[in-house]
Amino acid sequence: MQHSIKQDTLVGLFIAVGIAALFFMAMQISNLSTFTKEDSYTISAAFENSGGLKIKSPVVVGGVRIGRVIAITLDQTKFQSIVTMKIESQYNKLPEDTTASIFTAGLLGEQYVSLDPGGLEDLLINNSVIDITQSAIVLEEIIGQFLFKSAETKE
Amino acid sequence: MSLNNTIVSVQNLTFSRGNRKIFDDISLDIQQGKVTAIMGPSGTGKTTLLKIIGGQLSPASGSVFVNGQNVHQLSRKNLYTLRKRMGMLFQSGALLTDMNVYDNVAFPLREHTDLNESMIRTLVLMKLQAVGLRGARELMPNELSGGMARRIALARAIALDPMMIMYDEPFTGQDPISMAALVQLIKTLNTTLNLTSIIVSHDVKDTAAIADYIYIISHGKIVGHGSPEEIENSKSEWVQQFMHGKADGPVHFHYPAPTYIDDLLAFDKN
Amino acid sequence: MIDLLTQLGKKTRYSFAKLGRSSFFLQQLLMGITDVLVRPQLLSKQLYSVGVLSFFLITISGLFVGMVLGLQGYYILSNFGADEALGVMVATSLVRELGPVVAALLFAGRAGSALTAEIGLMKATEQLSGMEMMAIDPIKRIVTPRFLAGFISLPLLTALFSSVGVLGGHLIGVSLLGVDEGSYWSQMQASLDVYDDILNGVIKSIVFGFVISWIALFEGYDAIPTSEGVSCATTRTVVNSAFAILGLDFILTALMFGDI
C-alpha cells in the first residue's frame, strides 16, 4: 500500500484539530477551568427551607459568583435543609459571621445562595458551618399571608 | 490424492436456489495438470459450481473434495489455507478499484506473506511479464480494457503460485485478439506452471480448443462428458444441439410457461 | 384483510432476518478490530476518506449554525434584557443537542452514504467475492477499518462542530451585536458542566458514530449487487441513520438529562 505523506499529514491534522476542539469544549465552554477539587473549599449552611434551590445553583457575594451548591440534604433531627457549597479558594476572606440567604433571580428565575459578609476577624474555612441563615421565600406563602391579612383588615 | 490424480472431486452434489434445483445429484472429477472445461447454456449455474468448489456456497447435499479435503467441512482457518492454493478468475476481473495494477497484483502477496518490498516487486513484475502487461503497472483498473483487466486478474490469481485456477467465463465479451491472447495464456500457464485449470464457459469453439476434458451440464444434470473429440462425435442429441448451436432441440427455445393460447386468454378469465 | 396480515407477517419476518444478519455482521466486524490495530495504515487511509473529507462540511455547517443561534438568540434574549445569557444559550443548545445530532445527520449524508455505495459496488463488481477467494476476509480487511474510522471520526467532528458553533455565536453576538465579551464566556462557563453537558454530548456522538457506521456498512454489505440495489441501499442508509439518530437522541437525552 502506498500511503502518501500528504494523506498522513491531513489525517494527523484532523485528529489534532479534533482533540483540540474537545479540549476547547472542556476548558473554554464548560466550567472545568474554574472548578477543580484542589482549589476550592466547602462550607455548609442550615436553612429552614431551601425552596427551589438545586445542586449546581450559584453562590454569590454582592452579585459575584464565587461558588456553587454541591449537595442539599435533610437533617433528620432538626428537620432543616443542609446546603453544602463549594467556594473557590481565591475567595477565602469570608468572615465567620457571614449570613446566607436564598434569593430568586427575578420574579420567576432560578434560586441562588447569597452570602452577606459580617465583620468578624475569624474567617470561614473548609467545612465551616454558617449559623445565620435566611430561608428561601416561597411565593405561595407570601401570597397566602397577604390574602389572610387583607381578609383580616376587611373585617 | 487418489489413485488417478484427481484434484477436485464433486460427489452427488445437489444445490437449490429457492425452489429451483440448480444441480441435481451431479458427480464429476477433475484431473491434476489438465484443463477441464465445464460447459452449458447460460443460467445453468456454472459459476455457482465454482463458488461451491471454492467454499463460498454450501450444497444442500453431496460433497466436494479438493486435494483430498472436504471443502465444506473445513474450519474457516483451514478453508482459507486451502483457498490460498486455489486461484479464481472472475468474469469481471474483480480488481480492487482503489489501487493500481501493481498494487492489485501485490495485494495477495502483501496480505499473506512477510516478503520485503524488493521481493514483492520482483514477483509482481514476473507475474505481470507472464501476462504481458508489465508496462501497464501504473494504470488504475478503470483505465484498463476488459481483456487487460482479466489478464491482470490472472496475474493476481497466480501471484501465490496456486495449484489450480478456476476461470469464470474467461472469453465472454472479448474481441478476437484479446480472446486469442487469453486462450494462449491459459494454455501456456497450465503447462509452464503445472497448474490445473477449470474453465467454465459457454463459448464452445475456443474452450474446446484448449480443454483436455469437457463436462456439459444442463438442467442440473451432466448430459455429456469426455475428451473434445468424444464430445464432438457424441450421439446425444442434446450435446449436438449445444456444440453446434442449434436454436431448438432438446433445449427448448421457450422458457417453461403455460401454453400460449391459455396464457393469452388468462386475463379474461380473471 | 388476511392479505394485509400476511403482508405484515412477511415484513416482520424480513425485519427479523435482517436484524439477525446485521447482528452477525457486527460481531464479525468487531472481531476484526485487533487485526486492524496491528496494521494501522489501513485505518489511516479510511480516516482520510471518512474524517478528513467530512471536515469542511462539518466545520462550515457548525459555523453557520452557531451564527444563526447567535442571531436568533440575541433577538429573543434582548427582549427580556438577558442578552448576557447568549453564550449560555448558544453553548447549551450546541453541546447538548445540535452538535451531536446535526453533525451526525451530516455525517450520515456525507460519509455514511459513501461507505454504503463503496461497499455495495465492491460487492456488485465481485471484489468482495474475489477477496474471499484470495483467502482474505473482506470484513476484516475492508469493513472493520471503515467502521473504526467512522467510530473515531464522528466524536471529533462533533467536537469541531460545537466548538466552531460557539465561536460563530461569539462572532455574531459579541463582535457584531455588541454582547459583552466577558459575560458571553463567563456565563457559559458558569452554567455548563464538564460531565453533565460536555461529556454527555461526547457520549451521544460516540453512540451515533457507532450506529451510523454499522448501518452504512451493513447496508452496503447486504445490498443486492446491482446498480439499483446499491442505490436503494444508499438511500436506506441515510433514512435509517436519520431515524436511528433522532430516536437514540431522544432516549439518550431522557436518560442523561431527565434525572428528576
Side-chain angles (χ1 to χ4, degrees):
Chain A
M1 220 75 34
Q2 291 181 347
H3 39 111
S4 65
I5 294 170
K6 186 185 157 215
Q7 185 178 301
D8 273 352
T9 316
L10 286 172
V11 170
L13 190 70
F14 167 62
I15 301 281
V17 173
I19 290 173
L22 283 171
F23 195 69
F24 175 81
M25 290 210 302
M27 301 309 288
Q28 184 70 19
I29 299 182
S30 80
N31 52 1
L32 186 67
S33 54
T34 51
F35 267 108
T36 41
K37 220 170 189 173
E38 286 75 45
D39 53 7
S40 64
Y41 63 100
T42 313
I43 57 173
S44 56
F47 293 93
E48 289 299 328
N49 187 337
S50 63
L53 203 65
K54 285 194 288 255
I55 289 172
K56 273 179 71 189
S57 291
V59 178
V60 302
V61 174
V64 178
R65 191 180 190 282
I66 61 161
R68 60 171 176 162
V69 174
I70 56 167
I72 302 171
T73 51
L74 182 67
D75 176 349
Q76 297 255 33
T77 53
K78 294 184 194 160
F79 292 102
Q80 284 181 326
S81 163
I82 310 292
V83 175
T84 315
M85 293 161 276
K86 199 179 237 188
I87 310 293
E88 289 176 50
S89 53
Q90 53 171 313
Y91 305 110
N92 57 357
K93 299 262 162 40
L94 294 172
E96 208 174 19
D97 60 342
T98 296
T99 54
S101 325
I102 296 175
F103 289 138
T104 309
L107 194 58
L108 300 167
E110 253 202 333
Q111 293 198 303
Y112 62 95
V113 179
S114 174
L115 299 182
D116 192 10
L120 285 182
E121 297 261 313
D122 294 334
L123 299 176
L124 285 174
I125 51 162
N126 200 20
N127 297 330
S128 295
V129 178
I130 295 176
D131 303 319
I132 317 158
T133 59
Q134 188 196 334
S135 289
I137 297 163
V138 180
L139 207 56
E140 293 93 315
E141 280 179 10
I142 297 173
I143 294 170
Q145 280 172 4
F146 175 75
L147 290 175
F148 187 64
K149 267 184 192 157
S150 59
E152 259 183 351
T153 44
K154 265 185 191 169
E155 275 173 14
Chain B
M1 215 161 290
S2 63
L3 295 170
N4 50 359
N5 273 345
T6 302
I7 191 160
V8 177
S9 169
V10 176
Q11 291 167 5
N12 308 101
L13 177 79
T14 303
F15 182 85
S16 327
R17 193 163 269 163
N19 293 325
R20 209 159 71 88
K21 264 197 176 163
I22 310 257
F23 298 121
D24 188 7
D25 193 23
I26 64 165
S27 300
L28 53 87
D29 289 321
I30 285 159
Q31 306 294 318
Q32 206 216 338
K34 297 276 196 291
V35 178
T36 305
I38 296 166
M39 299 208 262
S42 310
T44 45
K46 302 185 297 292
T47 307
T48 309
L49 182 62
L50 292 188
K51 287 195 168 171
I52 291 174
I53 295 175
Q56 283 190 311
L57 296 173
S58 295
S61 67
S63 46
V64 176
F65 290 89
V66 174
N67 209 8
Q69 293 170 289
N70 187 336
V71 174
H72 300 98
Q73 284 177 1
L74 290 175
S75 68
R76 192 180 166 78
K77 194 165 163 259
N78 290 336
L79 177 62
Y80 271 40
T81 316
L82 181 63
R83 278 186 189 162
K84 286 182 203 171
R85 308 193 55 206
M86 306 160 79
M88 177 148 171
L89 187 72
F90 284 85
Q91 202 171 341
S92 61
L95 294 176
L96 301 170
T97 43
D98 60 343
M99 43 178 97
N100 66 18
V101 164
Y102 179 94
D103 287 328
N104 258 294
V105 179
F107 185 73
L109 294 168
R110 286 178 178 149
E111 293 289 324
H112 289 309
T113 67
D114 293 323
L115 299 175
N116 60 32
E117 262 320 295
S118 84
M119 290 276 277
I120 286 180
R121 192 185 127 87
T122 314
L123 281 171
V124 170
L125 293 187
M126 276 166 62
K127 306 298 174 191
L128 283 174
Q129 175 73 13
V131 298
L133 289 173
R134 191 163 44 83
R137 75 187 99 149
E138 295 298 330
L139 297 181
M140 294 302 283
N142 58 7
E143 299 169 298
L144 300 170
S145 71
M148 280 161 88
R150 248 172 253 189
R151 279 151 73 188
I152 301 292
L154 186 53
R156 184 178 67 176
I158 58 173
L160 289 172
D161 289 321
M163 58 183 181
M164 58 183 271
I165 295 195
M166 297 186 277
Y167 299 90
D168 184 9
E169 301 282 5
F171 308 124
T172 312
Q174 297 294 310
D175 63 77
I177 301 175
S178 12
M179 177 102 93
L182 272 168
V183 169
Q184 203 203 336
L185 201 52
I186 292 172
K187 193 143 190 71
T188 348
L189 285 178
N190 204 67
T191 46
T192 51
L193 300 178
N194 193 24
L195 286 169
T196 304
S197 304
I198 305 173
I199 302 176
V200 149
S201 177
H202 54 243
D203 188 286
V204 173
K205 197 166 66 65
D206 292 282
T207 314
I210 52 169
D212 297 310
Y213 204 82
I214 297 176
Y215 284 95
I216 297 179
I217 298 184
S218 172
H219 291 101
K221 299 268 189 201
I222 293 177
V223 291
H225 61 96
S227 65
E229 295 77 36
E230 287 166 8
I231 291 284
E232 181 71 22
N233 303 323
S234 166
K235 295 264 177 337
S236 156
E237 240 184 292
W238 200 102
V239 174
Q240 286 303 319
Q241 186 199 356
F242 182 73
M243 294 304 283
H244 300 288
K246 294 172 191 159
D248 212 353
V251 176
H252 297 294
F253 173 68
H254 294 289
Y255 194 82
T259 56
Y260 191 37
I261 297 294
D262 286 351
D263 215 2
L264 286 176
L265 297 175
F267 186 77
D268 299 330
K269 284 177 193 161
N270 290 341
Chain C
M1 188 61 199
I2 298 289
D3 255 20
L4 214 66
L5 286 176
T6 316
Q7 284 291 319
L8 184 67
K10 216 173 178 180
K11 276 263 157 60
T12 315
R13 186 161 57 84
Y14 281 148
S15 317
F16 274 110
K18 191 162 180 177
L19 195 67
R21 286 201 304 280
S22 64
S23 316
F24 183 70
F25 176 78
L26 181 68
Q27 181 205 335
Q28 295 262 302
L29 176 169
L30 294 177
M31 273 167 29
I33 286 182
T34 42
D35 297 63
V36 176
L37 294 179
V38 177
R39 295 173 63 191
Q41 68 272 25
L42 292 180
L43 184 60
S44 160
K45 193 172 176 187
Q46 297 312 319
L47 275 174
Y48 179 79
S49 55
V50 171
V52 175
L53 295 182
S54 310
F55 181 87
F56 279 104
L57 174 72
I58 298 278
T59 40
I60 301 290
S61 313
L63 185 69
F64 277 98
V65 169
M67 279 160 56
V68 168
L69 279 176
L71 208 56
Q72 295 281 17
Y74 179 80
Y75 289 132
I76 295 167
L77 291 172
S78 59
N79 282 339
F80 305 102
D83 42 350
E84 284 80 19
L86 184 66
V88 182
M89 201 208 98
V90 170
T92 311
S93 40
L94 274 172
V95 168
R96 282 188 174 186
E97 290 296 335
L98 284 175
V101 171
V102 177
L105 289 173
L106 290 170
F107 184 76
R110 168 70 185 75
S113 59
L115 285 177
T116 305
E118 190 187 12
I119 302 283
L121 282 175
M122 287 181 96
K123 186 179 181 187
T125 55
E126 296 181 309
Q127 291 182 52
L128 297 183
S129 226
M131 219 174 254
E132 253 178 51
M133 284 308 298
M134 282 188 273
I136 296 159
D137 186 345
I139 293 193
K140 279 184 185 165
R141 179 63 178 67
I142 297 292
V143 174
T144 308
R146 285 164 172 77
F147 177 81
L148 280 180
F151 182 62
I152 295 170
S153 296
L154 187 57
L156 296 179
L157 289 168
T158 303
L160 271 165
F161 185 95
S162 302
S163 306
V164 172
V166 168
L167 294 177
H170 182 269
L171 187 73
I172 293 295
V174 177
S175 314
L176 217 65
L177 299 172
V179 175
D180 179 53
E181 162 130 40
S183 45
Y184 184 85
W185 291 118
S186 68
Q187 291 225 8
M188 185 192 299
Q189 288 167 2
S191 8
L192 267 76
D193 187 75
V194 185
Y195 297 105
D196 289 354
D197 298 305
I198 310 284
L199 191 68
N200 279 344
V202 173
I203 290 173
K204 276 186 180 179
S205 66
I206 290 174
V207 173
F208 295 159
F210 186 95
V211 172
I212 296 171
S213 310
W214 178 20
I215 291 178
L217 291 166
F218 175 71
E219 287 293 354
Y221 195 78
D222 202 47
I224 299 160
T226 58
S227 350
E228 200 203 354
V230 174
S231 102
C232 288
T234 311
T235 310
R236 273 202 305 274
T237 293
V238 177
V239 173
N240 291 350
S241 296
F243 281 133
I245 292 165
L246 297 171
L248 280 172
D249 183 55
F250 177 76
I251 295 170
L252 289 174
T253 306
L255 288 177
M256 287 168 174
F257 301 108
D259 50 359
I260 312 164

